[in-house]
Amino acid sequence: MDPIKRYEPISIFEEVFVMSHRRISCVLFVAAALFAALCGTAFAADEAASPQFGVLSLLPPVVAIVLCLTTHEVIPSLFVGSWIAGTMISDWNPIYGFGAAIENIWNSLGDPWGARIFMTCIVMSGMVGVMQAGGGVRAAVNALSRRIRSSRSAMLFTELAGIVIFFEDYVTAAVVGTTMRPISDSYRVSKEKLSYLVDSTAAPVAAIAGVSSWVAYMVGQIGKQYGELGIQGSAYNTYLQSIPFVFYNLIALLLVTLVVLSSRDFGPMLAAERRARSSGKVLRDGAMPLTSAAGDPDLEPAENVPDRVVNFVLPVVFLVVFIVGMLLVTGGFPKVGLSEAMANSDSSLALIYGSYAAAVMTLALFRLQRAASLSRLFRGFLKGGQAVFVGSMILIYAWGISASIKSVGTAAYLVSVTKDFLSPAWIPLLTFLTGMVISFCTGTSYGTMGILMPIVVPLLAKVSAAAGIDVTTYMLPTVGAVFAGAVFGDHCSPISDTTIMSSMFCGADHIDHVKTQLPYALLAGVGAAAGYLCIALGLNHWLSLAVGAALVAAAFFAVSGRVDDYVSAGGETQD
């Protein structure tokens, strides 16, 4: 999953890059501030019509955003924002404000909804650890890799492996990168291209998979806002329905598919691929690759464990079936029909019951096969759960700042100064652009969601009410835009640890990976922005997505060049 995005530079090249990145961050923050500025004719607003804190209600989220951008530390930044809000509602007493911030955090964790979502994150990731320890993940990847015959098929199977391992971006980076690295090397696929393929099927896929370790967090973000705003409906259903509006992820996956099937590239990636095909140098001269450390022995299956693809398929089936079944049960099925049950379901209950049941069944599956000892499987479960600890902490602190922002009336103030000129139709586009900037500069999708969701959903609700529009009209595009903007940075920021892990497990120079991948991410971002612009102009969803996708495809073929397909160990190529 997506914990704090931070790493220590390992070379002078990375030091220089990070210093430049921080300077760029200062410039990019101006773009993030555009959202507040648009909401801003603040000082000219009628104070009588505004909440009691007026323009100062913007202080907690703005400080949290600025600290995220400048320090790259998400949890302390979110807490400081909560502390400022607590101070404001405590008659500006910072000591009482400190206590109020902590109270918001424990109230969020102590809430039954929050506790269930937190537990789901741990249990679902623990189940992934069991699948790794029992050999299920290895079997799935190995089954894909047996049919490779050329560099193109090596890239295609890398993409497919990343999509198949859809439930956890860390697992995608670690397992697919490690497994496909020797295969792609033998077919002269550059390290830059391999790390791009792995990175592009990590976070972008996990966020829209429907059932993944990300889902609990994303549903939790929606559910909190629905509960506080009194919006009826299932948060899980809203998440599922928002997936077609997560334009960046969908277009990024389209782009990586075009790259693989067409054997074309552009920019620095084109030079890297032509170098690898012609000379066999999968790394440029002078590159400093991030070498992956040995895998955690508790997550490595024993050598004598047979590769059974069913050991990957069955746990996924368990998870899907149990979660869907519990959604129906909590919604009143069979007393009510399927559609009504899904609409009235309790997603947090379904997620926690379903993930626990699937974890138990997965443990039993591997133990009955004697794939590993029970103690080894339990260690895998614990190591898997540990992997999402920091991400779970971000979740808790994000809920805390959500409560804090509500207490000072940030959304109400923004509405009071924007309701006469801010159209609900433009909120998805503004949300996506702001999310792109924040996530790129902080490297965390979770932190970006935690900052944006408690602002834009209440803002949309109140602006829609002021405009006489049903709140659900632009809810799905707005929620989708939050997720899309947040994933952009997770996908390509140099301080995103998914990006770093892709470099590490693929054996790529990290800066080379970032430099070659960033043009592709920006192109997909432009296409997504075009899609949200079409939404603002009144086009329907599918046409908006088609416009964005067509723009990206046309631009890609216009600027890209052909790369030969390496088809044999003897060096034969074909155009």
mmCIF file of all heavy atoms in Angstrom, residues 228-266:
data_model
loop_
_atom_site.group_PDB
_atom_site.id
_atom_site.type_symbol
_atom_site.label_atom_id
_atom_site.label_comp_id
_atom_site.label_asym_id
_atom_site.label_seq_id
_atom_site.Cartn_x
_atom_site.Cartn_y
_atom_site.Cartn_z
ATOM 1 N N GLU A 228 -20.642 12.472 7.640
ATOM 2 C CA GLU A 228 -20.667 13.822 8.187
ATOM 3 C C GLU A 228 -21.635 14.723 7.449
ATOM 4 O O GLU A 228 -22.193 15.664 8.031
ATOM 5 C CB GLU A 228 -19.256 14.410 8.157
ATOM 6 C CG GLU A 228 -18.293 13.697 9.110
ATOM 7 C CD GLU A 228 -16.874 14.187 8.983
ATOM 8 O OE1 GLU A 228 -16.636 15.087 8.131
ATOM 9 O OE2 GLU A 228 -15.999 13.686 9.716
ATOM 10 N N LEU A 229 -21.846 14.460 6.160
ATOM 11 C CA LEU A 229 -22.754 15.291 5.366
ATOM 12 C C LEU A 229 -24.175 14.741 5.337
ATOM 13 O O LEU A 229 -25.077 15.381 4.797
ATOM 14 C CB LEU A 229 -22.230 15.414 3.935
ATOM 15 C CG LEU A 229 -20.895 16.150 3.759
ATOM 16 C CD1 LEU A 229 -20.386 16.006 2.341
ATOM 17 C CD2 LEU A 229 -21.032 17.622 4.118
ATOM 18 N N GLY A 230 -24.366 13.554 5.895
ATOM 19 C CA GLY A 230 -25.696 12.963 5.893
ATOM 20 C C GLY A 230 -26.135 12.468 4.532
ATOM 21 O O GLY A 230 -27.336 12.368 4.261
ATOM 22 N N ILE A 231 -25.166 12.136 3.675
ATOM 23 C CA ILE A 231 -25.493 11.629 2.337
ATOM 24 C C ILE A 231 -25.820 10.145 2.442
ATOM 25 O O ILE A 231 -25.059 9.364 3.010
ATOM 26 C CB ILE A 231 -24.314 11.844 1.369
ATOM 27 C CG1 ILE A 231 -24.034 13.344 1.217
ATOM 28 C CG2 ILE A 231 -24.606 11.214 0.009
ATOM 29 C CD1 ILE A 231 -22.825 13.645 0.356
ATOM 30 N N GLN A 232 -26.957 9.757 1.911
ATOM 31 C CA GLN A 232 -27.376 8.370 1.951
ATOM 32 C C GLN A 232 -26.698 7.583 0.835
ATOM 33 O O GLN A 232 -26.417 8.103 -0.235
ATOM 34 C CB GLN A 232 -28.904 8.273 1.804
ATOM 35 C CG GLN A 232 -29.669 8.994 2.894
ATOM 36 C CD GLN A 232 -29.393 8.432 4.277
ATOM 37 O OE1 GLN A 232 -29.384 7.211 4.456
ATOM 38 N NE2 GLN A 232 -29.160 9.311 5.234
ATOM 39 N N GLY A 233 -26.441 6.319 1.097
ATOM 40 C CA GLY A 233 -25.870 5.459 0.074
ATOM 41 C C GLY A 233 -24.624 4.751 0.572
ATOM 42 O O GLY A 233 -24.032 5.122 1.582
ATOM 43 N N SER A 234 -24.232 3.724 -0.151
ATOM 44 C CA SER A 234 -23.086 2.903 0.223
ATOM 45 C C SER A 234 -21.796 3.557 -0.266
ATOM 46 O O SER A 234 -21.653 3.888 -1.446
ATOM 47 C CB SER A 234 -23.220 1.506 -0.390
ATOM 48 O OG SER A 234 -21.991 0.811 -0.338
ATOM 49 N N ALA A 235 -20.846 3.736 0.653
ATOM 50 C CA ALA A 235 -19.551 4.296 0.271
ATOM 51 C C ALA A 235 -18.827 3.349 -0.681
ATOM 52 O O ALA A 235 -18.140 3.796 -1.610
ATOM 53 C CB ALA A 235 -18.703 4.559 1.515
ATOM 54 N N TYR A 236 -18.975 2.051 -0.472
ATOM 55 C CA TYR A 236 -18.315 1.089 -1.356
ATOM 56 C C TYR A 236 -18.901 1.149 -2.766
ATOM 57 O O TYR A 236 -18.178 1.107 -3.759
ATOM 58 C CB TYR A 236 -18.444 -0.321 -0.786
ATOM 59 C CG TYR A 236 -17.656 -1.356 -1.556
ATOM 60 C CD1 TYR A 236 -16.270 -1.373 -1.502
ATOM 61 C CD2 TYR A 236 -18.296 -2.316 -2.331
ATOM 62 C CE1 TYR A 236 -15.536 -2.316 -2.202
ATOM 63 C CE2 TYR A 236 -17.572 -3.268 -3.034
ATOM 64 C CZ TYR A 236 -16.186 -3.259 -2.965
ATOM 65 O OH TYR A 236 -15.460 -4.195 -3.668
ATOM 66 N N ASN A 237 -20.212 1.279 -2.856
ATOM 67 C CA ASN A 237 -20.827 1.425 -4.170
ATOM 68 C C ASN A 237 -20.343 2.694 -4.864
ATOM 69 O O ASN A 237 -20.117 2.711 -6.079
ATOM 70 C CB ASN A 237 -22.350 1.445 -4.049
ATOM 71 C CG ASN A 237 -22.938 0.061 -3.889
ATOM 72 O OD1 ASN A 237 -22.243 -0.936 -4.087
ATOM 73 N ND2 ASN A 237 -24.200 -0.017 -3.515
ATOM 74 N N THR A 238 -20.214 3.775 -4.088
ATOM 75 C CA THR A 238 -19.715 5.025 -4.666
ATOM 76 C C THR A 238 -18.305 4.833 -5.205
ATOM 77 O O THR A 238 -17.978 5.311 -6.297
ATOM 78 C CB THR A 238 -19.726 6.147 -3.620
ATOM 79 O OG1 THR A 238 -21.064 6.371 -3.180
ATOM 80 C CG2 THR A 238 -19.165 7.440 -4.197
ATOM 81 N N TYR A 239 -17.465 4.133 -4.434
ATOM 82 C CA TYR A 239 -16.113 3.861 -4.913
ATOM 83 C C TYR A 239 -16.155 3.079 -6.231
ATOM 84 O O TYR A 239 -15.466 3.437 -7.204
ATOM 85 C CB TYR A 239 -15.322 3.081 -3.865
ATOM 86 C CG TYR A 239 -14.137 2.343 -4.441
ATOM 87 C CD1 TYR A 239 -13.031 3.041 -4.899
ATOM 88 C CD2 TYR A 239 -14.158 0.955 -4.565
ATOM 89 C CE1 TYR A 239 -11.955 2.366 -5.459
ATOM 90 C CE2 TYR A 239 -13.089 0.280 -5.127
ATOM 91 C CZ TYR A 239 -11.989 0.989 -5.570
ATOM 92 O OH TYR A 239 -10.941 0.325 -6.141
ATOM 93 N N LEU A 240 -16.952 2.006 -6.276
ATOM 94 C CA LEU A 240 -17.027 1.198 -7.485
ATOM 95 C C LEU A 240 -17.522 2.021 -8.678
ATOM 96 O O LEU A 240 -16.991 1.919 -9.784
ATOM 97 C CB LEU A 240 -17.951 0.001 -7.260
ATOM 98 C CG LEU A 240 -17.463 -1.086 -6.300
ATOM 99 C CD1 LEU A 240 -18.534 -2.158 -6.134
ATOM 100 C CD2 LEU A 240 -16.160 -1.708 -6.774
ATOM 101 N N GLN A 241 -18.538 2.851 -8.425
ATOM 102 C CA GLN A 241 -19.105 3.655 -9.512
ATOM 103 C C GLN A 241 -18.171 4.783 -9.946
ATOM 104 O O GLN A 241 -18.303 5.315 -11.052
ATOM 105 C CB GLN A 241 -20.453 4.210 -9.080
ATOM 106 C CG GLN A 241 -21.533 3.149 -8.899
ATOM 107 C CD GLN A 241 -22.771 3.675 -8.200
ATOM 108 O OE1 GLN A 241 -22.873 4.867 -7.896
ATOM 109 N NE2 GLN A 241 -23.716 2.789 -7.919
ATOM 110 N N SER A 242 -17.230 5.157 -9.067
ATOM 111 C CA SER A 242 -16.299 6.234 -9.424
ATOM 112 C C SER A 242 -15.136 5.733 -10.268
ATOM 113 O O SER A 242 -14.414 6.543 -10.869
ATOM 114 C CB SER A 242 -15.750 6.908 -8.154
ATOM 115 O OG SER A 242 -14.809 6.071 -7.493
ATOM 116 N N ILE A 243 -14.932 4.412 -10.327
ATOM 117 C CA ILE A 243 -13.782 3.863 -11.058
ATOM 118 C C ILE A 243 -13.743 4.332 -12.512
ATOM 119 O O ILE A 243 -12.671 4.714 -13.010
ATOM 120 C CB ILE A 243 -13.768 2.321 -10.956
ATOM 121 C CG1 ILE A 243 -13.420 1.892 -9.525
ATOM 122 C CG2 ILE A 243 -12.774 1.720 -11.948
ATOM 123 C CD1 ILE A 243 -13.509 0.394 -9.287
ATOM 124 N N PRO A 244 -14.866 4.345 -13.256
ATOM 125 C CA PRO A 244 -14.788 4.845 -14.634
ATOM 126 C C PRO A 244 -14.407 6.312 -14.736
ATOM 127 O O PRO A 244 -14.064 6.783 -15.831
ATOM 128 C CB PRO A 244 -16.220 4.614 -15.158
ATOM 129 C CG PRO A 244 -16.780 3.541 -14.297
ATOM 130 C CD PRO A 244 -16.191 3.771 -12.954
ATOM 131 N N PHE A 245 -14.465 7.060 -13.627
ATOM 132 C CA PHE A 245 -14.098 8.476 -13.624
ATOM 133 C C PHE A 245 -12.664 8.701 -13.153
ATOM 134 O O PHE A 245 -12.221 9.847 -13.076
ATOM 135 C CB PHE A 245 -15.056 9.271 -12.737
ATOM 136 C CG PHE A 245 -16.456 9.356 -13.270
ATOM 137 C CD1 PHE A 245 -17.414 8.437 -12.873
ATOM 138 C CD2 PHE A 245 -16.815 10.339 -14.184
ATOM 139 C CE1 PHE A 245 -18.711 8.500 -13.362
ATOM 140 C CE2 PHE A 245 -18.103 10.405 -14.685
ATOM 141 C CZ PHE A 245 -19.063 9.485 -14.271
ATOM 142 N N VAL A 246 -11.946 7.638 -12.825
ATOM 143 C CA VAL A 246 -10.542 7.784 -12.442
ATOM 144 C C VAL A 246 -9.738 7.816 -13.741
ATOM 145 O O VAL A 246 -9.037 6.862 -14.103
ATOM 146 C CB VAL A 246 -10.100 6.645 -11.504
ATOM 147 C CG1 VAL A 246 -8.696 6.913 -10.958
ATOM 148 C CG2 VAL A 246 -11.069 6.494 -10.336
ATOM 149 N N PHE A 247 -9.863 8.926 -14.446
ATOM 150 C CA PHE A 247 -9.363 9.018 -15.811
ATOM 151 C C PHE A 247 -7.856 8.787 -15.911
ATOM 152 O O PHE A 247 -7.381 8.174 -16.868
ATOM 153 C CB PHE A 247 -9.711 10.387 -16.415
ATOM 154 C CG PHE A 247 -11.164 10.574 -16.736
ATOM 155 C CD1 PHE A 247 -11.686 11.835 -16.969
ATOM 156 C CD2 PHE A 247 -12.023 9.492 -16.815
ATOM 157 C CE1 PHE A 247 -13.026 12.027 -17.279
ATOM 158 C CE2 PHE A 247 -13.373 9.653 -17.124
ATOM 159 C CZ PHE A 247 -13.867 10.931 -17.355
ATOM 160 N N TYR A 248 -7.092 9.291 -14.963
ATOM 161 C CA TYR A 248 -5.633 9.156 -15.082
ATOM 162 C C TYR A 248 -5.221 7.692 -15.100
ATOM 163 O O TYR A 248 -4.415 7.277 -15.949
ATOM 164 C CB TYR A 248 -4.911 9.875 -13.937
ATOM 165 C CG TYR A 248 -3.415 9.640 -13.995
ATOM 166 C CD1 TYR A 248 -2.639 10.339 -14.909
ATOM 167 C CD2 TYR A 248 -2.796 8.675 -13.199
ATOM 168 C CE1 TYR A 248 -1.275 10.096 -15.020
ATOM 169 C CE2 TYR A 248 -1.434 8.424 -13.309
ATOM 170 C CZ TYR A 248 -0.685 9.140 -14.213
ATOM 171 O OH TYR A 248 0.660 8.883 -14.327
ATOM 172 N N ASN A 249 -5.744 6.909 -14.188
ATOM 173 C CA ASN A 249 -5.370 5.497 -14.119
ATOM 174 C C ASN A 249 -5.728 4.777 -15.405
ATOM 175 O O ASN A 249 -4.938 3.990 -15.944
ATOM 176 C CB ASN A 249 -6.064 4.821 -12.943
ATOM 177 C CG ASN A 249 -5.728 5.462 -11.617
ATOM 178 O OD1 ASN A 249 -5.618 6.682 -11.508
ATOM 179 N ND2 ASN A 249 -5.579 4.662 -10.579
ATOM 180 N N LEU A 250 -6.935 5.010 -15.897
ATOM 181 C CA LEU A 250 -7.399 4.322 -17.098
ATOM 182 C C LEU A 250 -6.569 4.709 -18.311
ATOM 183 O O LEU A 250 -6.185 3.852 -19.119
ATOM 184 C CB LEU A 250 -8.877 4.643 -17.331
ATOM 185 C CG LEU A 250 -9.837 4.180 -16.236
ATOM 186 C CD1 LEU A 250 -11.239 4.742 -16.475
ATOM 187 C CD2 LEU A 250 -9.889 2.651 -16.169
ATOM 188 N N ILE A 251 -6.264 5.999 -18.434
ATOM 189 C CA ILE A 251 -5.495 6.457 -19.595
ATOM 190 C C ILE A 251 -4.032 6.031 -19.476
ATOM 191 O O ILE A 251 -3.383 5.692 -20.481
ATOM 192 C CB ILE A 251 -5.640 7.980 -19.753
ATOM 193 C CG1 ILE A 251 -7.092 8.315 -20.140
ATOM 194 C CG2 ILE A 251 -4.678 8.522 -20.800
ATOM 195 C CD1 ILE A 251 -7.388 9.795 -20.239
ATOM 196 N N ALA A 252 -3.486 6.021 -18.251
ATOM 197 C CA ALA A 252 -2.107 5.542 -18.060
ATOM 198 C C ALA A 252 -1.986 4.080 -18.469
ATOM 199 O O ALA A 252 -0.979 3.675 -19.079
ATOM 200 C CB ALA A 252 -1.682 5.739 -16.613
ATOM 201 N N LEU A 253 -2.997 3.271 -18.142
ATOM 202 C CA LEU A 253 -2.974 1.860 -18.536
ATOM 203 C C LEU A 253 -3.145 1.707 -20.043
ATOM 204 O O LEU A 253 -2.523 0.830 -20.667
ATOM 205 C CB LEU A 253 -4.075 1.097 -17.797
ATOM 206 C CG LEU A 253 -3.835 0.903 -16.298
ATOM 207 C CD1 LEU A 253 -5.077 0.337 -15.621
ATOM 208 C CD2 LEU A 253 -2.642 -0.009 -16.062
ATOM 209 N N LEU A 254 -3.973 2.546 -20.643
ATOM 210 C CA LEU A 254 -4.090 2.538 -22.108
ATOM 211 C C LEU A 254 -2.746 2.873 -22.748
ATOM 212 O O LEU A 254 -2.317 2.217 -23.705
ATOM 213 C CB LEU A 254 -5.147 3.544 -22.547
ATOM 214 C CG LEU A 254 -5.180 3.849 -24.051
ATOM 215 C CD1 LEU A 254 -5.621 2.626 -24.843
ATOM 216 C CD2 LEU A 254 -6.093 5.040 -24.349
ATOM 217 N N LEU A 255 -2.068 3.873 -22.205
ATOM 218 C CA LEU A 255 -0.801 4.302 -22.781
ATOM 219 C C LEU A 255 0.257 3.203 -22.690
ATOM 220 O O LEU A 255 0.980 2.949 -23.657
ATOM 221 C CB LEU A 255 -0.319 5.576 -22.073
ATOM 222 C CG LEU A 255 1.002 6.162 -22.573
ATOM 223 C CD1 LEU A 255 0.926 6.475 -24.068
ATOM 224 C CD2 LEU A 255 1.353 7.425 -21.779
ATOM 225 N N VAL A 256 0.353 2.554 -21.540
ATOM 226 C CA VAL A 256 1.369 1.508 -21.405
ATOM 227 C C VAL A 256 1.051 0.341 -22.343
ATOM 228 O O VAL A 256 1.963 -0.291 -22.890
ATOM 229 C CB VAL A 256 1.483 1.040 -19.937
ATOM 230 C CG1 VAL A 256 0.320 0.163 -19.523
ATOM 231 C CG2 VAL A 256 2.788 0.284 -19.714
ATOM 232 N N THR A 257 -0.225 0.075 -22.593
ATOM 233 C CA THR A 257 -0.598 -0.975 -23.545
ATOM 234 C C THR A 257 -0.213 -0.585 -24.965
ATOM 235 O O THR A 257 0.293 -1.412 -25.738
ATOM 236 C CB THR A 257 -2.109 -1.256 -23.455
ATOM 237 O OG1 THR A 257 -2.445 -1.626 -22.115
ATOM 238 C CG2 THR A 257 -2.507 -2.374 -24.395
ATOM 239 N N LEU A 258 -0.444 0.680 -25.324
ATOM 240 C CA LEU A 258 -0.030 1.165 -26.647
ATOM 241 C C LEU A 258 1.480 1.042 -26.815
ATOM 242 O O LEU A 258 1.970 0.643 -27.877
ATOM 243 C CB LEU A 258 -0.460 2.624 -26.835
ATOM 244 C CG LEU A 258 -1.943 2.898 -27.041
ATOM 245 C CD1 LEU A 258 -2.188 4.407 -27.128
ATOM 246 C CD2 LEU A 258 -2.454 2.208 -28.304
ATOM 247 N N VAL A 259 2.216 1.393 -25.787
ATOM 248 C CA VAL A 259 3.675 1.315 -25.838
ATOM 249 C C VAL A 259 4.126 -0.111 -26.104
ATOM 250 O O VAL A 259 4.984 -0.368 -26.961
ATOM 251 C CB VAL A 259 4.282 1.837 -24.513
ATOM 252 C CG1 VAL A 259 5.763 1.498 -24.433
ATOM 253 C CG2 VAL A 259 4.076 3.338 -24.384
ATOM 254 N N VAL A 260 3.542 -1.063 -25.393
ATOM 255 C CA VAL A 260 3.960 -2.460 -25.529
ATOM 256 C C VAL A 260 3.571 -3.028 -26.894
ATOM 257 O O VAL A 260 4.393 -3.643 -27.587
ATOM 258 C CB VAL A 260 3.342 -3.306 -24.393
ATOM 259 C CG1 VAL A 260 3.573 -4.789 -24.648
ATOM 260 C CG2 VAL A 260 3.938 -2.898 -23.049
ATOM 261 N N LEU A 261 2.322 -2.841 -27.293
ATOM 262 C CA LEU A 261 1.835 -3.472 -28.521
ATOM 263 C C LEU A 261 2.410 -2.841 -29.773
ATOM 264 O O LEU A 261 2.569 -3.519 -30.794
ATOM 265 C CB LEU A 261 0.304 -3.409 -28.558
ATOM 266 C CG LEU A 261 -0.425 -4.202 -27.468
ATOM 267 C CD1 LEU A 261 -1.934 -4.075 -27.635
ATOM 268 C CD2 LEU A 261 -0.008 -5.666 -27.481
ATOM 269 N N SER A 262 2.714 -1.546 -29.719
ATOM 270 C CA SER A 262 3.215 -0.863 -30.914
ATOM 271 C C SER A 262 4.729 -0.924 -31.053
ATOM 272 O O SER A 262 5.265 -0.591 -32.111
ATOM 273 C CB SER A 262 2.777 0.608 -30.889
ATOM 274 O OG SER A 262 3.426 1.313 -29.841
ATOM 275 N N SER A 263 5.434 -1.327 -29.972
ATOM 276 C CA SER A 263 6.903 -1.304 -29.956
ATOM 277 C C SER A 263 7.421 0.087 -30.312
ATOM 278 O O SER A 263 8.370 0.250 -31.082
ATOM 279 C CB SER A 263 7.483 -2.347 -30.922
ATOM 280 O OG SER A 263 7.169 -3.652 -30.499
ATOM 281 N N ARG A 264 6.782 1.102 -29.738
ATOM 282 C CA ARG A 264 7.191 2.485 -29.970
ATOM 283 C C ARG A 264 7.435 3.170 -28.625
ATOM 284 O O ARG A 264 6.837 2.804 -27.612
ATOM 285 C CB ARG A 264 6.116 3.258 -30.757
ATOM 286 C CG ARG A 264 5.801 2.665 -32.113
ATOM 287 C CD ARG A 264 4.666 3.418 -32.792
ATOM 288 N NE ARG A 264 5.073 4.758 -33.200
ATOM 289 C CZ ARG A 264 5.624 5.059 -34.364
ATOM 290 N NH1 ARG A 264 5.857 4.106 -35.258
ATOM 291 N NH2 ARG A 264 5.941 6.298 -34.673
ATOM 292 N N ASP A 265 8.302 4.166 -28.632
ATOM 293 C CA ASP A 265 8.581 4.964 -27.442
ATOM 294 C C ASP A 265 8.912 6.379 -27.875
ATOM 295 O O ASP A 265 9.093 6.663 -29.064
ATOM 296 C CB ASP A 265 9.760 4.374 -26.655
ATOM 297 C CG ASP A 265 9.370 3.153 -25.846
ATOM 298 O OD1 ASP A 265 8.628 3.312 -24.861
ATOM 299 O OD2 ASP A 265 9.789 2.030 -26.201
ATOM 300 N N PHE A 266 8.996 7.284 -26.884
ATOM 301 C CA PHE A 266 9.403 8.650 -27.198
ATOM 302 C C PHE A 266 10.226 9.212 -26.049
ATOM 303 O O PHE A 266 10.268 8.656 -24.954
ATOM 304 C CB PHE A 266 8.182 9.540 -27.474
ATOM 305 C CG PHE A 266 7.308 9.822 -26.274
ATOM 306 C CD1 PHE A 266 7.483 10.981 -25.517
ATOM 307 C CD2 PHE A 266 6.297 8.943 -25.905
ATOM 308 C CE1 PHE A 266 6.676 11.251 -24.416
ATOM 309 C CE2 PHE A 266 5.488 9.209 -24.812
ATOM 310 C CZ PHE A 266 5.677 10.364 -24.068
#
